[in-house]
Amino acid sequence: MTRTTAWCRVSPARSAGHHGTVPVVSRGSTGQDLVMAVSSAGHGLFDAATGALVARDRDPDPDTPDAEPDLACPGLGPVAGVPVRIAGLFGGGLHHTTADGWALDVVSPDWPAHRVILSADGGGHRGEPGGTWWHVHHASWSEFRTAGFSPSGRTLAVATSSDLVLWARASVPALS
């Protein structure tokens, strides 16, 4: 896999009114990345590699994540009983780098619109787009919430007030 084809866009179901999102690693020994979306329509857990809905709670506890000091929501489905930290409307944050050198920057040259830049060179984004950096998302018509990598480095998530967009890669190269 080359750097330009390492990431594949995954489109999970749309949900309105995102409060937060967070990639989590779960499912026992598989280490599969799952993404939990918290919105005004409930909580959803998605398979980050396929975008498939894994679990859904349309009527969660009415408390919002900001009611918890660690910005956590209760997990559901295969992460039931596990507090899941959320990043988005109420704060928090996701990883902006991976162990193998990918980096993510969120820039706002035409504020309040936000652009998400993915770099293969650790964040330099020098030169022309498409070489070592890519403009992967432009949040111009809905409010930007958060962007970042999963702890495994296999998933990139961007959440706005109306959408959750995922990019996934099959594997992460071993570090020497």
Side-chain angles (χ1 to χ4, degrees):
M1 219 179 256
T2 66
R3 287 282 191 182
T4 56
T5 60
W7 294 92
C8 178
R9 187 172 172 155
V10 179
S11 296
R14 292 183 82 151
S15 62
H18 272 109
H19 296 307
T21 183
V22 63
V24 296
V25 176
S26 184
R27 288 236 179 135
S29 63
T30 66
Q32 180 178 7
D33 280 2
L34 300 172
V35 176
M36 185 166 167
V38 177
S39 75
S40 58
H43 298 180
L45 191 67
F46 298 91
D47 179 324
T50 66
L53 183 64
V54 174
R56 179 97 169 121
D57 184 355
R58 292 187 186 280
D59 190 28
D61 183 341
D63 285 340
T64 56
D66 64 333
E68 299 296 322
D70 60 356
L71 296 175
C73 285
L76 61 151
V79 293
V82 177
V84 178
R85 289 191 177 178
I86 300 297
L89 179 62
F90 301 111
L94 304 175
H95 297 267
H96 278 220
T97 59
T98 66
D100 60 332
W102 289 93
L104 181 75
D105 290 302
V106 179
V107 297
S108 302
D110 54 346
W111 189 88
H114 292 75
R115 297 176 187 200
V116 180
I117 308 296
L118 176 65
S119 303
D121 62 358
H125 44 80
R126 293 177 190 85
E128 294 297 314
T132 59
W133 67 275
W134 300 265
H135 174 204
V136 295
H137 192 78
H138 190 170
S140 60
W141 59 273
S142 59
E143 187 176 319
F144 177 80
R145 296 286 194 241
T146 192
F149 296 106
S150 64
S152 72
R154 289 190 311 253
T155 303
L156 166 61
V158 176
T160 68
S161 57
S162 62
D163 295 296
L164 170 61
V165 183
L166 303 173
W167 290 263
R169 56 184 176 151
S171 63
V172 176
L175 298 175
S176 347

